[in-house]
């Protein structure tokens, strides 16, 4: 990852407004391919289960063959705390990623042991904190755990995703953000 192109910024509240959120919203972002293997419906079900927390806003950004299914599910669930955003241009991508309070890197259990999904390298470079679905014993799990730079949950466990999002204030987010950026600078 180009750590000079993707870096932390401090104007998160202004960026949230730029992308249509309130400055006080807690933005939970998935940005990437929208396909079946990502298990993205779990984000919508989490949004539904957490709709009683008005400051939580969910965003899915990207394109792919499964996007229409997710938009229909959003309508069926009558979600008011969820938005779909288009692909972002490269020149705006750093600020876009910095806008999020929490990033989501979700996939189905059978997706396998990815060493480090490509989207995660950019998230780490901006000092982003991600909730990552990774099974214990995988390379991805061990890297994130050993460097304390993400929130790890078991893949395809809806309750784990809901709990991780609902309790984001209980995690050491600033420390995890610093560790993420340091890892990107030293290893990526």
């Amino acid at each position: 990852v180009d750590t000079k192109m993707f870096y932390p910024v401090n104007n998160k509240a202004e960026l949230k407004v730029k992308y249509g959120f309130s400055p006080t919203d807690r933005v939970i972002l998935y940005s990437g391919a929208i396909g079946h293997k990502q298990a993205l419906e779990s984000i919508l079900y989490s949004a539904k289960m957490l709709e009683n927390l008005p400051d939580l806003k969910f965003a899915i950004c990207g394109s792919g063959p499964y996007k229409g299914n997710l938009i229909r599910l959003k309508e069926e669930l009558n979600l008011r705390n969820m938005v779909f955003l288009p692909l972002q241009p490269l020149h705006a991508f750093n600020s876009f990623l910095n806008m999020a309070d929490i990033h989501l890197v979700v996939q189905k259990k059978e997706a396998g042991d990815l060493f480090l999904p490509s989207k995660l390298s950019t998230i780490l470079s901006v000092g982003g904190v991600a909730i990552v679905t990774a099974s214990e014993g995988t390379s991805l799990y061990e890297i994130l755990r050993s460097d304390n730079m993400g929130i790890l949950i078991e893949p395809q466990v809806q309750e784990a995703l809901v709990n991780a999002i609902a309790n984001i204030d209980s995690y050491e987010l600033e420390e995890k953000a610093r560790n993420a950026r340091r890892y990107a600078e030293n290893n990526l």
Side-chain angles (χ1 to χ4, degrees):
V1 68
D2 184 343
T3 57
K4 290 180 177 48
M5 184 175 198
F6 298 104
Y7 55 89
V9 298
N10 294 321
N11 59 339
K12 195 176 283 267
E14 292 171 33
L15 293 173
K16 287 178 184 181
V17 171
K18 175 181 174 182
Y19 290 101
F21 299 98
S22 164
T24 57
D25 284 342
R26 303 294 302 261
V27 179
I28 313 300
L29 174 66
Y30 171 86
S31 181
I34 301 177
H36 184 66
K37 78 171 189 156
Q38 283 80 21
L40 299 179
E41 51 281 308
S42 65
I43 298 170
L44 282 78
Y45 293 129
S46 296
K48 184 66 174 177
M49 292 175 190
L50 296 169
E51 65 187 351
N52 63 324
L53 300 174
D55 66 327
L56 280 183
K57 301 294 188 244
F58 294 79
I60 294 179
C61 172
S63 65
Y66 203 62
K67 188 172 185 175
N69 296 22
L70 296 178
I71 291 171
R72 282 189 291 283
L73 181 58
K74 176 192 180 225
E75 292 166 2
E76 288 172 20
L77 295 173
N78 193 29
L79 293 175
R80 293 187 169 85
N81 59 349
M82 160 70 68
V83 297
F84 286 89
L85 300 169
L87 284 173
Q88 300 298 304
L90 185 58
H91 72 273
F93 202 52
N94 186 65
S95 64
F96 180 72
L97 290 177
N98 272 280
M99 173 264 311
D101 293 290
I102 294 290
H103 297 266
L104 297 175
V105 180
V106 296
Q107 62 184 4
K108 291 186 175 179
K109 193 176 274 193
E110 61 268 12
D113 182 14
L114 293 177
F115 175 69
L116 195 70
S118 58
K119 77 175 80 224
L120 188 55
S121 62
T122 312
I123 292 168
L124 297 174
S125 191
V126 300
V129 177
I131 295 173
V132 179
T133 58
S135 297
E136 195 170 340
T138 62
S139 301
L140 178 59
Y141 181 95
E142 294 306 321
I143 290 168
L144 291 171
R145 185 191 58 75
S146 67
D147 286 277
N148 187 27
M149 56 184 179
I151 301 163
L152 291 158
I153 62 170
E154 189 66 29
Q156 292 185 272
V157 179
Q158 186 66 54
E159 187 176 319
L161 181 58
V162 170
N163 288 338
I165 295 168
N167 295 301
I168 57 175
D169 291 328
S170 68
Y171 298 101
E172 305 144 339
L173 297 182
E174 289 181 19
E175 180 182 347
K176 288 181 185 305
R178 283 190 305 273
N179 292 344
R181 175 63 184 179
R182 187 178 314 114
Y183 184 87
E185 289 173 332
N186 294 337
N187 299 289
L188 302 176

mmCIF file of all heavy atoms in Angstrom, residues 9-41:
data_model
loop_
_atom_site.group_PDB
_atom_site.id
_atom_site.type_symbol
_atom_site.label_atom_id
_atom_site.label_comp_id
_atom_site.label_asym_id
_atom_site.label_seq_id
_atom_site.Cartn_x
_atom_site.Cartn_y
_atom_site.Cartn_z
ATOM 1 N N VAL A 9 -6.151 11.222 8.754
ATOM 2 C CA VAL A 9 -6.466 12.647 8.808
ATOM 3 C C VAL A 9 -7.298 12.904 10.065
ATOM 4 O O VAL A 9 -7.882 11.985 10.641
ATOM 5 C CB VAL A 9 -7.205 13.144 7.545
ATOM 6 C CG1 VAL A 9 -6.343 12.974 6.309
ATOM 7 C CG2 VAL A 9 -8.533 12.453 7.369
ATOM 8 N N ASN A 10 -7.358 14.158 10.468
ATOM 9 C CA ASN A 10 -8.024 14.480 11.732
ATOM 10 C C ASN A 10 -9.399 15.113 11.590
ATOM 11 O O ASN A 10 -10.060 15.358 12.585
ATOM 12 C CB ASN A 10 -7.134 15.408 12.567
ATOM 13 C CG ASN A 10 -5.861 14.715 13.007
ATOM 14 O OD1 ASN A 10 -5.895 13.540 13.361
ATOM 15 N ND2 ASN A 10 -4.751 15.416 12.970
ATOM 16 N N ASN A 11 -9.845 15.413 10.388
ATOM 17 C CA ASN A 11 -11.118 16.118 10.225
ATOM 18 C C ASN A 11 -12.283 15.159 9.955
ATOM 19 O O ASN A 11 -13.094 15.373 9.058
ATOM 20 C CB ASN A 11 -11.003 17.144 9.108
ATOM 21 C CG ASN A 11 -10.629 16.526 7.766
ATOM 22 O OD1 ASN A 11 -10.083 15.430 7.713
ATOM 23 N ND2 ASN A 11 -10.931 17.216 6.691
ATOM 24 N N LYS A 12 -12.402 14.142 10.772
ATOM 25 C CA LYS A 12 -13.409 13.090 10.586
ATOM 26 C C LYS A 12 -14.829 13.657 10.554
ATOM 27 O O LYS A 12 -15.647 13.266 9.726
ATOM 28 C CB LYS A 12 -13.266 12.050 11.686
ATOM 29 C CG LYS A 12 -14.001 10.759 11.410
ATOM 30 C CD LYS A 12 -13.750 9.734 12.493
ATOM 31 C CE LYS A 12 -12.427 9.095 12.387
ATOM 32 N NZ LYS A 12 -12.336 7.868 11.644
ATOM 33 N N ALA A 13 -15.152 14.610 11.435
ATOM 34 C CA ALA A 13 -16.505 15.176 11.482
ATOM 35 C C ALA A 13 -16.847 15.882 10.170
ATOM 36 O O ALA A 13 -17.945 15.717 9.634
ATOM 37 C CB ALA A 13 -16.646 16.123 12.666
ATOM 38 N N GLU A 14 -15.911 16.648 9.636
ATOM 39 C CA GLU A 14 -16.135 17.337 8.354
ATOM 40 C C GLU A 14 -16.321 16.328 7.226
ATOM 41 O O GLU A 14 -17.156 16.524 6.334
ATOM 42 C CB GLU A 14 -14.944 18.235 8.017
ATOM 43 C CG GLU A 14 -14.772 19.421 8.918
ATOM 44 C CD GLU A 14 -13.449 20.137 8.656
ATOM 45 O OE1 GLU A 14 -12.994 20.157 7.489
ATOM 46 O OE2 GLU A 14 -12.876 20.648 9.622
ATOM 47 N N LEU A 15 -15.537 15.280 7.249
ATOM 48 C CA LEU A 15 -15.647 14.256 6.208
ATOM 49 C C LEU A 15 -17.002 13.553 6.266
ATOM 50 O O LEU A 15 -17.595 13.255 5.229
ATOM 51 C CB LEU A 15 -14.514 13.241 6.344
ATOM 52 C CG LEU A 15 -13.115 13.769 6.050
ATOM 53 C CD1 LEU A 15 -12.070 12.723 6.390
ATOM 54 C CD2 LEU A 15 -12.991 14.222 4.603
ATOM 55 N N LYS A 16 -17.493 13.315 7.461
ATOM 56 C CA LYS A 16 -18.803 12.668 7.594
ATOM 57 C C LYS A 16 -19.876 13.532 6.936
ATOM 58 O O LYS A 16 -20.728 13.024 6.202
ATOM 59 C CB LYS A 16 -19.132 12.426 9.062
ATOM 60 C CG LYS A 16 -18.312 11.314 9.667
ATOM 61 C CD LYS A 16 -18.631 11.120 11.135
ATOM 62 C CE LYS A 16 -17.721 10.061 11.732
ATOM 63 N NZ LYS A 16 -17.975 9.808 13.133
ATOM 64 N N VAL A 17 -19.834 14.822 7.180
ATOM 65 C CA VAL A 17 -20.809 15.732 6.574
ATOM 66 C C VAL A 17 -20.684 15.698 5.052
ATOM 67 O O VAL A 17 -21.685 15.645 4.331
ATOM 68 C CB VAL A 17 -20.644 17.170 7.130
ATOM 69 C CG1 VAL A 17 -21.497 18.157 6.359
ATOM 70 C CG2 VAL A 17 -20.982 17.197 8.617
ATOM 71 N N LYS A 18 -19.457 15.697 4.563
ATOM 72 C CA LYS A 18 -19.207 15.650 3.120
ATOM 73 C C LYS A 18 -19.878 14.435 2.468
ATOM 74 O O LYS A 18 -20.359 14.512 1.343
ATOM 75 C CB LYS A 18 -17.696 15.628 2.867
ATOM 76 C CG LYS A 18 -17.300 15.465 1.416
ATOM 77 C CD LYS A 18 -15.787 15.427 1.268
ATOM 78 C CE LYS A 18 -15.390 15.121 -0.169
ATOM 79 N NZ LYS A 18 -13.942 15.042 -0.329
ATOM 80 N N TYR A 19 -19.929 13.330 3.197
ATOM 81 C CA TYR A 19 -20.495 12.099 2.644
ATOM 82 C C TYR A 19 -21.942 11.871 3.076
ATOM 83 O O TYR A 19 -22.482 10.783 2.906
ATOM 84 C CB TYR A 19 -19.609 10.902 2.983
ATOM 85 C CG TYR A 19 -18.310 10.957 2.212
ATOM 86 C CD1 TYR A 19 -17.138 11.395 2.809
ATOM 87 C CD2 TYR A 19 -18.269 10.625 0.864
ATOM 88 C CE1 TYR A 19 -15.953 11.475 2.092
ATOM 89 C CE2 TYR A 19 -17.092 10.696 0.140
ATOM 90 C CZ TYR A 19 -15.938 11.128 0.756
ATOM 91 O OH TYR A 19 -14.773 11.206 0.043
ATOM 92 N N GLY A 20 -22.584 12.892 3.653
ATOM 93 C CA GLY A 20 -24.010 12.829 3.936
ATOM 94 C C GLY A 20 -24.405 12.374 5.325
ATOM 95 O O GLY A 20 -25.581 12.113 5.580
ATOM 96 N N PHE A 21 -23.445 12.299 6.214
ATOM 97 C CA PHE A 21 -23.747 11.890 7.585
ATOM 98 C C PHE A 21 -23.720 13.102 8.508
ATOM 99 O O PHE A 21 -23.225 14.165 8.146
ATOM 100 C CB PHE A 21 -22.718 10.853 8.074
ATOM 101 C CG PHE A 21 -22.708 9.597 7.252
ATOM 102 C CD1 PHE A 21 -21.772 9.409 6.246
ATOM 103 C CD2 PHE A 21 -23.647 8.602 7.477
ATOM 104 C CE1 PHE A 21 -21.761 8.258 5.472
ATOM 105 C CE2 PHE A 21 -23.645 7.448 6.707
ATOM 106 C CZ PHE A 21 -22.701 7.272 5.712
ATOM 107 N N SER A 22 -24.202 12.926 9.721
ATOM 108 C CA SER A 22 -24.083 13.945 10.757
ATOM 109 C C SER A 22 -22.666 13.856 11.331
ATOM 110 O O SER A 22 -22.092 12.764 11.394
ATOM 111 C CB SER A 22 -25.120 13.672 11.847
ATOM 112 O OG SER A 22 -24.810 14.379 13.021
ATOM 113 N N PRO A 23 -22.112 14.981 11.796
ATOM 114 C CA PRO A 23 -20.750 14.930 12.364
ATOM 115 C C PRO A 23 -20.635 14.008 13.583
ATOM 116 O O PRO A 23 -19.562 13.523 13.896
ATOM 117 C CB PRO A 23 -20.437 16.368 12.752
ATOM 118 C CG PRO A 23 -21.584 17.200 12.356
ATOM 119 C CD PRO A 23 -22.662 16.328 11.803
ATOM 120 N N THR A 24 -21.761 13.754 14.255
ATOM 121 C CA THR A 24 -21.727 12.912 15.460
ATOM 122 C C THR A 24 -22.097 11.461 15.181
ATOM 123 O O THR A 24 -22.070 10.635 16.095
ATOM 124 C CB THR A 24 -22.675 13.479 16.525
ATOM 125 O OG1 THR A 24 -23.992 13.563 15.963
ATOM 126 C CG2 THR A 24 -22.197 14.849 17.003
ATOM 127 N N ASP A 25 -22.451 11.138 13.941
ATOM 128 C CA ASP A 25 -22.759 9.745 13.600
ATOM 129 C C ASP A 25 -21.536 8.860 13.783
ATOM 130 O O ASP A 25 -20.403 9.290 13.568
ATOM 131 C CB ASP A 25 -23.225 9.629 12.142
ATOM 132 C CG ASP A 25 -24.652 10.098 11.936
ATOM 133 O OD1 ASP A 25 -25.406 10.202 12.924
ATOM 134 O OD2 ASP A 25 -25.016 10.367 10.768
ATOM 135 N N ARG A 26 -21.775 7.626 14.168
ATOM 136 C CA ARG A 26 -20.731 6.605 14.201
ATOM 137 C C ARG A 26 -20.911 5.797 12.921
ATOM 138 O O ARG A 26 -21.874 5.052 12.784
ATOM 139 C CB ARG A 26 -20.882 5.702 15.426
ATOM 140 C CG ARG A 26 -20.875 6.416 16.771
ATOM 141 C CD ARG A 26 -19.542 7.076 17.105
ATOM 142 N NE ARG A 26 -18.430 6.179 17.135
ATOM 143 C CZ ARG A 26 -17.902 5.639 18.218
ATOM 144 N NH1 ARG A 26 -18.369 5.926 19.394
ATOM 145 N NH2 ARG A 26 -16.876 4.828 18.116
ATOM 146 N N VAL A 27 -19.993 5.955 11.977
ATOM 147 C CA VAL A 27 -20.137 5.349 10.655
ATOM 148 C C VAL A 27 -19.427 4.000 10.613
ATOM 149 O O VAL A 27 -18.225 3.909 10.861
ATOM 150 C CB VAL A 27 -19.601 6.286 9.553
ATOM 151 C CG1 VAL A 27 -19.732 5.627 8.183
ATOM 152 C CG2 VAL A 27 -20.343 7.624 9.581
ATOM 153 N N ILE A 28 -20.203 2.975 10.267
ATOM 154 C CA ILE A 28 -19.712 1.611 10.126
ATOM 155 C C ILE A 28 -19.685 1.340 8.622
ATOM 156 O O ILE A 28 -20.729 1.311 7.979
ATOM 157 C CB ILE A 28 -20.638 0.595 10.832
ATOM 158 C CG1 ILE A 28 -21.023 1.049 12.246
ATOM 159 C CG2 ILE A 28 -20.026 -0.797 10.810
ATOM 160 C CD1 ILE A 28 -19.878 1.239 13.196
ATOM 161 N N LEU A 29 -18.491 1.157 8.054
ATOM 162 C CA LEU A 29 -18.322 1.129 6.605
ATOM 163 C C LEU A 29 -17.796 -0.201 6.088
ATOM 164 O O LEU A 29 -16.811 -0.730 6.599
ATOM 165 C CB LEU A 29 -17.342 2.231 6.190
ATOM 166 C CG LEU A 29 -16.917 2.277 4.722
ATOM 167 C CD1 LEU A 29 -18.089 2.616 3.801
ATOM 168 C CD2 LEU A 29 -15.771 3.278 4.532
ATOM 169 N N TYR A 30 -18.468 -0.688 5.042
ATOM 170 C CA TYR A 30 -17.905 -1.744 4.213
ATOM 171 C C TYR A 30 -17.642 -1.113 2.863
ATOM 172 O O TYR A 30 -18.543 -0.542 2.250
ATOM 173 C CB TYR A 30 -18.851 -2.938 4.034
ATOM 174 C CG TYR A 30 -18.310 -3.904 3.003
ATOM 175 C CD1 TYR A 30 -17.412 -4.883 3.374
ATOM 176 C CD2 TYR A 30 -18.635 -3.772 1.662
ATOM 177 C CE1 TYR A 30 -16.863 -5.739 2.420
ATOM 178 C CE2 TYR A 30 -18.098 -4.620 0.702
ATOM 179 C CZ TYR A 30 -17.212 -5.594 1.086
ATOM 180 O OH TYR A 30 -16.660 -6.422 0.148
ATOM 181 N N SER A 31 -16.425 -1.215 2.379
ATOM 182 C CA SER A 31 -16.076 -0.695 1.060
ATOM 183 C C SER A 31 -15.331 -1.775 0.300
ATOM 184 O O SER A 31 -14.305 -2.270 0.760
ATOM 185 C CB SER A 31 -15.197 0.554 1.204
ATOM 186 O OG SER A 31 -14.868 1.073 -0.061
ATOM 187 N N GLY A 32 -15.875 -2.134 -0.854
ATOM 188 C CA GLY A 32 -15.211 -3.164 -1.646
ATOM 189 C C GLY A 32 -16.168 -3.855 -2.587
ATOM 190 O O GLY A 32 -17.274 -3.374 -2.852
ATOM 191 N N ALA A 33 -15.739 -5.013 -3.054
ATOM 192 C CA ALA A 33 -16.559 -5.802 -3.975
ATOM 193 C C ALA A 33 -17.828 -6.253 -3.263
ATOM 194 O O ALA A 33 -17.808 -6.585 -2.073
ATOM 195 C CB ALA A 33 -15.778 -7.009 -4.473
ATOM 196 N N ILE A 34 -18.921 -6.242 -4.009
ATOM 197 C CA ILE A 34 -20.203 -6.668 -3.442
ATOM 198 C C ILE A 34 -20.612 -7.966 -4.141
ATOM 199 O O ILE A 34 -21.277 -7.960 -5.169
ATOM 200 C CB ILE A 34 -21.270 -5.565 -3.593
ATOM 201 C CG1 ILE A 34 -20.791 -4.297 -2.873
ATOM 202 C CG2 ILE A 34 -22.601 -6.040 -3.018
ATOM 203 C CD1 ILE A 34 -21.718 -3.114 -3.015
ATOM 204 N N GLY A 35 -20.126 -9.047 -3.550
ATOM 205 C CA GLY A 35 -20.401 -10.367 -4.098
ATOM 206 C C GLY A 35 -20.985 -11.274 -3.030
ATOM 207 O O GLY A 35 -21.135 -10.880 -1.868
ATOM 208 N N HIS A 36 -21.277 -12.477 -3.413
ATOM 209 C CA HIS A 36 -21.894 -13.443 -2.503
ATOM 210 C C HIS A 36 -20.936 -13.897 -1.400
ATOM 211 O O HIS A 36 -21.345 -14.116 -0.266
ATOM 212 C CB HIS A 36 -22.412 -14.639 -3.298
ATOM 213 C CG HIS A 36 -23.138 -15.642 -2.469
ATOM 214 N ND1 HIS A 36 -24.339 -15.359 -1.858
ATOM 215 C CD2 HIS A 36 -22.826 -16.918 -2.137
ATOM 216 C CE1 HIS A 36 -24.727 -16.424 -1.176
ATOM 217 N NE2 HIS A 36 -23.833 -17.388 -1.340
ATOM 218 N N LYS A 37 -19.634 -14.019 -1.708
ATOM 219 C CA LYS A 37 -18.694 -14.602 -0.734
ATOM 220 C C LYS A 37 -18.421 -13.708 0.469
ATOM 221 O O LYS A 37 -17.917 -14.158 1.484
ATOM 222 C CB LYS A 37 -17.373 -14.979 -1.409
ATOM 223 C CG LYS A 37 -16.447 -13.813 -1.659
ATOM 224 C CD LYS A 37 -15.080 -14.285 -2.121
ATOM 225 C CE LYS A 37 -14.142 -13.110 -2.154
ATOM 226 N NZ LYS A 37 -12.783 -13.452 -2.041
ATOM 227 N N GLN A 38 -18.778 -12.415 0.371
ATOM 228 C CA GLN A 38 -18.507 -11.504 1.477
ATOM 229 C C GLN A 38 -19.500 -11.613 2.628
ATOM 230 O O GLN A 38 -19.258 -11.048 3.682
ATOM 231 C CB GLN A 38 -18.470 -10.046 0.978
ATOM 232 C CG GLN A 38 -17.206 -9.666 0.259
ATOM 233 C CD GLN A 38 -17.182 -10.123 -1.181
ATOM 234 O OE1 GLN A 38 -18.204 -10.392 -1.794
ATOM 235 N NE2 GLN A 38 -15.991 -10.227 -1.735
ATOM 236 N N ALA A 39 -20.623 -12.278 2.448
ATOM 237 C CA ALA A 39 -21.631 -12.408 3.512
ATOM 238 C C ALA A 39 -22.125 -11.037 3.969
ATOM 239 O O ALA A 39 -22.292 -10.786 5.151
ATOM 240 C CB ALA A 39 -21.072 -13.216 4.686
ATOM 241 N N LEU A 40 -22.360 -10.144 3.023
ATOM 242 C CA LEU A 40 -22.710 -8.765 3.349
ATOM 243 C C LEU A 40 -24.108 -8.603 3.918
ATOM 244 O O LEU A 40 -24.392 -7.586 4.556
ATOM 245 C CB LEU A 40 -22.530 -7.879 2.117
ATOM 246 C CG LEU A 40 -21.106 -7.835 1.566
ATOM 247 C CD1 LEU A 40 -21.030 -6.948 0.334
ATOM 248 C CD2 LEU A 40 -20.119 -7.378 2.616
ATOM 249 N N GLU A 41 -24.975 -9.577 3.717
ATOM 250 C CA GLU A 41 -26.302 -9.456 4.321
ATOM 251 C C GLU A 41 -26.199 -9.368 5.840
ATOM 252 O O GLU A 41 -27.054 -8.781 6.499
ATOM 253 C CB GLU A 41 -27.243 -10.576 3.879
ATOM 254 C CG GLU A 41 -26.732 -11.977 4.015
ATOM 255 C CD GLU A 41 -25.762 -12.396 2.896
ATOM 256 O OE1 GLU A 41 -26.060 -12.255 1.709
ATOM 257 O OE2 GLU A 41 -24.668 -12.871 3.260
#
